[in-house]
Amino acid sequence: MLITCSFALASDNSPLQDFCVADPNGPVLVNGFPCKDAKLVQANDFFLSGLHLMGNTSNAVGSRVTPVTVAQLPGLNTLGISMARIDFAPWGINPPHTHPRATEILTVIEGSIQVGRSRSLSEEYWICNAIAIVGLSSQNPGVITIANAVFGAKPDIPSDLLAKAFQVDVKVVDQIQSKF
Ligand SMILES: *[C@@H]1O[C@H](CO)[C@@H](O)[C@H](O)[C@H]1NC(C)=O
């Protein structure tokens, strides 16, 4: 008898220093950013404002993610955590996506949402009219939005290949690719 079991876990290593403010221009490429000289660290490296502001949901998917990762808040570097505010227009969606370096928890602050998860892709998507706050177990969680990755790849994935993979006409693939 063969029993298989699959699940996905992702997180950053535990921090080795009390803080390591990101130096985004540092020459060393590591999982995260090299540390800014501790003598140059300022309180502002740990401060970000604006999460109280509603995101602009006037776009094709009807949602807006306002991220707070190491890219927006350098003090998060190596701390293994980040967050985001998500605003949804009525029936807005957050398209199917994965976070390659993080697991995630979501709290609905206002409204209601429907969440779907695909086990095989470890992916999630939400359909809603709401404001939500999410926490992620990485300072740099990354996001791979399936539709963009497949149909908006640069360079393009050849449309005849996608047509066979998705079992549709090449014209359908061309039409979808033109939107990304
Ligand atoms: C929201 O985004 C739309 C589309 O990009 C833009 O036309 C509009 O001016 C934006 N609204 C605000 C309040 O920034």
Side-chain angles (χ1 to χ4, degrees):
M1 181 170 61
L2 179 69
I3 299 174
T4 62
C5 164
S6 94
F7 63 99
L9 283 176
S11 69
D12 294 337
N13 294 325
S14 298
L16 299 174
Q17 306 103 300
D18 289 341
F19 64 84
C20 164
V21 171
D23 174 4
N25 303 314
V28 186
L29 295 177
V30 291
N31 182 20
F33 292 97
C35 310
K36 186 173 166 175
D37 181 342
K39 292 192 287 296
L40 302 177
V41 167
Q42 299 173 343
N44 226 24
D45 290 323
F46 299 89
F47 178 80
L48 185 86
S49 74
L51 272 192
H52 61 298
L53 300 173
M54 195 177 157
N56 185 343
T57 57
S58 298
N59 53 52
V61 293
S63 73
R64 172 73 60 185
V65 177
T66 305
V68 185
T69 70
V70 68
Q72 292 79 32
L73 186 59
L76 284 182
N77 199 38
T78 75
L79 297 185
I81 195 163
S82 58
M83 68 181 294
R85 169 183 172 140
I86 312 178
D87 289 272
F88 295 94
W91 300 107
I93 65 153
N94 191 356
H97 64 276
T98 68
H99 295 290
R101 290 180 291 280
T103 46
E104 179 173 22
I105 187 167
L106 179 146
T107 304
V108 178
I109 303 296
E110 198 179 300
S112 63
I113 73 171
Q114 293 170 34
V115 182
R117 296 188 66 86
S118 158
R119 230 171 79 93
S120 54
L121 283 169
S122 317
E123 101 194 357
E124 48 177 306
Y125 53 97
W126 307 317
I127 306 171
C128 5
N129 175 21
I131 301 169
I133 294 288
V134 301
L136 296 130
S137 63
S138 169
Q139 67 268 355
N140 183 23
V143 60
I144 297 172
T145 302
I146 311 300
N148 303 45
V150 172
F151 294 104
K154 293 275 174 287
D156 282 355
I157 300 174
S159 48
D160 55 338
L161 188 153
L162 289 178
K164 262 190 191 163
F166 285 83
Q167 298 283 293
V168 292
D169 197 273
V170 173
K171 285 201 201 77
V172 175
V173 172
D174 289 341
Q175 191 200 350
I176 301 174
Q177 278 181 327
S178 71
K179 307 219 184 259
F180 292 91

